[in-house]
Amino acid sequence: MRIDVLTIFPDYLAPLGLSLIGKAREQGLVELAVHDLRGWTTDRHRTVDDTPYGGGPGMVMRPEPWGQALDAVAAMGAPERPRLVLPTPAGRPFTQAVAHEYAALPWLVFGCGRYEGIDARVAEEARERYDVDEVSLGDYVLNGGEVAVLVVVEAVARLLPGVIGNAQSLDDESHAAGLLEAPAYTKPALWRGHRVPDVLLSGDHARIARWKRDEALRRTRSVRPDLVAALPPGDLDRRDREV
Ligand SMILES: Nc1ccc2ncsc2c1
């Protein structure tokens, strides 16, 4: 997978060179390039923002540098048509399903907005050369898209074959099968008066699997009933409904 990131704060993306993503890059599983948007400005002050039409507070990112930058990046991988991902509080929810969708793509280009956002014509015009996707990480607002890109890139890259050592762990984690994961425990069996549930020490794999399923259901019903309601009808058996 190729990943390009456009930002006015390239240093914000430095963590992508560490640990998991760093190894994925070393293994050639991910090819990452971070580009400074100011490289496509033409004035002495390298201006990327201006006052908003219609008034209001703050500044809006100018379309010209974005247009030039997106032209240049599209040309780097042509004739492939990349997915342009624009993190924004006004986007569709970024979920584990979207992470899997992205992980199946050959090329992601991320555009990091700042200020009050990017001139709306940039996303419109980019559709000529990109499949454009505005995504939200949740109902809160950051100062820019960079932190959101760090989250999305990690969520996607870890799904790529070979990036996670034990791929099986992807199957049991939260949201993998529409539920939150069961609580996890390790040694010691007794810690500050708190015992590990006996079933996990039983060695009875069928009972353990059932316990994990029950706990996942209980936890999901408690904090994310919306996820239980969204499960396909066939996913819950009669016993599940009794949990
Ligand atoms: N450009 C921008 C600004 C704020 C924000 N908050 C969550 S994603 C995002 C993206």
Side-chain angles (χ1 to χ4, degrees), residues 1-5 13 16-17 21 25 30-34 153:
M1 173 184 280
R2 176 178 175 142
I3 296 177
D4 288 277
V5 184
L13 284 300
L16 292 181
I21 307 301
R25 293 173 69 184
V30 173
E31 183 193 344
L32 175 78
V34 179
V153 168

Side-chain angles (χ1 to χ4, degrees), residues 87-89 113-114 140-142 144-145:
T88 167
R114 278 269 147 181
Y140 53 83
V141 182
L142 303 169

Side-chain angles (χ1 to χ4, degrees), residues 14-32:
L16 292 181
L18 305 176
S19 185
L20 177 83
I21 307 301
K23 285 199 190 74
R25 293 173 69 184
E26 284 161 24
Q27 294 165 355
L29 298 168
V30 173
E31 183 193 344
L32 175 78

Side-chain angles (χ1 to χ4, degrees), residues 106-125:
W107 186 10
L108 297 176
V109 176
F110 290 90
C112 300
R114 278 269 147 181
Y115 311 108
E116 300 307 311
I118 304 170
D119 183 300
R121 292 168 292 179
V122 170
E124 271 170 49
E125 192 272 344

Side-chain angles (χ1 to χ4, degrees), residues 61 86-91 111-118 135-149:
M61 298 191 94
L86 300 172
T88 167
C112 300
R114 278 269 147 181
Y115 311 108
E116 300 307 311
I118 304 170
V135 292
S136 162
L137 297 199
D139 296 338
Y140 53 83
V141 182
L142 303 169
N143 287 331
E146 286 79 8
V147 169
V149 169

